[in-house]
Amino acid sequence: MAKLRADQLPGALKKRLAPVYLVTGDEPLLSQESCDAIRQTAKKQGFIERELYHTDAGFSWDELYNATNAMSLFADKKIIEIRIHNGKPGDAGSKAILEFCANINDDTLLLLVSPKIDSRSQNSKWYKAIDQAGEVITIWPVGPAQLPRWVDTRLKQAGLNADSEAIDILCAKTEGNLLAAVQEVEKLKLVAEGNFIDAQMMANAVMDSARYDTFGMVDKAIFGDSRAAAESLQGLRAEGTEALALLWALTRDIRTLTNIKEGLQAGENFDLAAKRNGVWDKRKPLFKQAIQRHKLPQLYGLLRKTALADRIAKGSAKGDIWNLLLDITLGLAGVNVHSAKTARQEILR
């Protein structure tokens, strides 16, 4: 079965809902949107329950066996979502995935989410089993050459049109950060007079930014300036910035740091690892400094917190999203913050 790009997924979902999906790639926004589209389609077809697992310390692939075989009290169809943090399920995971694909259950949908899968893993039995039984959605990075077309498409989806010069201004403003581009498009929907955006209007819109900038806040945290990062976070909250938008920005860069750190430990050159993970040249010094400050267990811990924050933001877990975002921001800046309440929520997730 042919692999799908993210932009092909909506059409494929209209034709059929597959029993198993693998969403793989290193662009958090497109990965999140693909997962959301799968969940929404599944919900319309009766998949009401959702069980979420992360393959970090303490996870056992027996969870997949148990979740597949256990019937809920009301016998609802359910989604089993597993986040494979390093793209490698291991022997136990491979066996569990192969068994699931060989014994498809109409009442269970398996959604696997992973960073970019390497070529060796694409030749594995578990990957081929998913490709045969379901769908593999490969999230390709949007490079500088593709960004203008991507921005143009997003504008049209928002009911807006822009000339090429205006699109170039937006691309330069966001520097390849897709979430930032989406936020600017949402802003344009509010300020545009009519549906056409020319260069002057685009320049005025993108320069009329809030005092506190989402990605500036994340950069302060990566730099290690905990006080400034915390101040920016509180400022963004006061200005009405959505918590989920901040979470996406934090998750993106924490995942990028994790991928680079794993690459370095595997013997990869920093510049190559940074390029592979879409880090722009002017941000490389920030990431190099943060890489030296963080160890992998710390980064894995931050990713677990972002997963918890995602569940809280979407109403599937209880907690104070802003306190947790502050924990994540300070943790990224190098401050060890881990409240007992947060720990309990992670243990009981």
Side-chain angles (χ1 to χ4, degrees):
M1 189 170 294
K3 300 175 183 62
L4 298 175
R5 300 190 309 270
D7 61 335
Q8 295 173 318
L9 178 60
L13 287 170
K14 290 179 180 179
K15 295 178 181 178
R16 71 150 189 162
L17 182 67
V20 55
Y21 288 91
L22 170 62
V23 178
T24 170
D26 295 324
E27 176 46 64
L29 174 66
L30 300 183
S31 179
Q32 181 67 47
E33 290 180 341
S34 295
C35 291
D36 287 344
I38 293 168
R39 294 189 206 103
Q40 290 167 6
T41 300
K43 186 175 182 180
K44 291 176 182 177
Q45 298 189 26
F47 289 84
I48 306 301
E49 293 189 16
R50 175 184 174 227
E51 297 182 12
L52 176 62
Y53 302 93
H54 298 263
T55 62
D56 49 16
F59 173 80
S60 169
W61 280 94
D62 288 340
E63 299 285 359
L64 178 56
Y65 293 114
N66 298 336
T68 302
N69 295 324
M71 295 297 291
S72 70
L73 181 62
F74 300 103
D76 286 328
K77 295 180 178 181
K78 63 184 174 184
I79 300 171
I80 302 171
E81 184 171 336
I82 302 177
R83 306 287 179 92
I84 307 174
H85 72 280
N86 61 359
K88 301 180 186 298
D91 292 340
S94 300
K95 182 179 178 181
I97 293 169
L98 285 169
E99 183 165 329
F100 181 92
C101 292
N103 299 280
I104 296 298
N105 183 337
D106 291 340
D107 293 330
T108 305
L109 184 150
L110 177 61
L111 173 57
L112 302 171
V113 187
S114 163
K116 182 181 177 181
I117 299 290
D118 59 32
S119 57
R120 183 177 179 180
S121 295
Q122 290 181 32
N123 291 319
S124 64
K125 291 182 179 179
W126 67 267
Y127 183 93
K128 291 179 179 179
I130 295 171
D131 197 23
Q132 183 174 358
E135 302 278 13
V136 175
I137 298 93
T138 303
I139 308 296
W140 297 103
V142 180
Q146 296 83 35
L147 186 59
R149 181 179 178 183
W150 188 88
V151 167
D152 186 42
T153 299
R154 285 286 170 147
L155 287 165
K156 286 182 168 61
Q157 289 174 351
L160 300 172
N161 289 288
D163 59 31
S164 60
E165 188 177 355
I167 291 173
D168 287 344
I169 291 171
L170 183 53
C171 292
K173 162 74 174 179
T174 55
E175 297 183 333
N177 194 314
L178 303 191
L179 177 56
V182 168
Q183 289 178 324
E184 292 293 346
V185 170
E186 290 301 310
K187 186 197 301 181
L188 286 166
K189 287 168 60 177
L190 299 176
V191 303
E193 297 178 2
N195 66 349
F196 183 76
I197 310 293
D198 60 17
Q200 185 62 52
M201 187 182 299
M202 182 70 78
N204 291 338
V206 300
M207 291 179 67
D208 184 24
S209 58
R211 178 185 173 194
Y212 298 101
D213 174 70
T214 299
F215 300 100
M217 181 272 289
V218 178
D219 279 353
K220 290 171 185 174
I222 294 175
F223 181 70
D225 191 341
S226 58
R227 183 181 297 274
E231 179 184 337
S232 293
L233 176 66
Q234 298 304 325
L236 287 162
R237 180 183 182 180
E239 290 175 346
T241 305
E242 290 289 336
L244 201 54
L246 295 172
L247 177 60
W248 274 337
L250 286 163
T251 302
R252 171 195 170 95
D253 282 348
I254 293 170
R255 185 175 290 117
T256 297
L257 283 168
T258 304
N259 291 340
I260 294 175
K261 188 77 172 182
E262 289 177 338
L264 292 178
Q265 292 198 356
E268 192 173 10
N269 174 271
F270 172 80
D271 287 333
L272 181 61
K275 181 178 180 181
R276 180 173 58 83
N277 286 281
V279 178
W280 290 64
D281 286 343
K282 81 173 192 177
R283 299 189 78 209
K284 282 183 180 179
L286 276 176
F287 277 78
K288 181 173 283 189
Q289 182 180 10
I291 286 293
Q292 295 172 350
R293 188 171 64 247
H294 288 287
K295 297 180 179 179
L296 269 178
Q298 294 171 317
L299 293 171
Y300 291 151
L302 288 173
L303 285 175
R304 287 195 295 273
K305 285 187 177 184
T306 63
L308 174 59
D310 180 71
R311 297 196 296 277
I312 292 173
K314 294 178 178 177
S316 59
K318 295 181 179 179
D320 188 316
I321 183 63
W322 289 101
N323 282 344
L324 189 51
L325 284 175
L326 179 59
D327 278 9
I328 294 167
T329 301
L330 292 175
L332 182 56
V335 178
N336 186 17
V337 179
H338 195 108
S339 68
K341 183 176 181 181
T342 298
R344 287 197 301 272
Q345 286 177 304
E346 289 182 350
I347 292 170
L348 297 173
R349 67 184 184 277

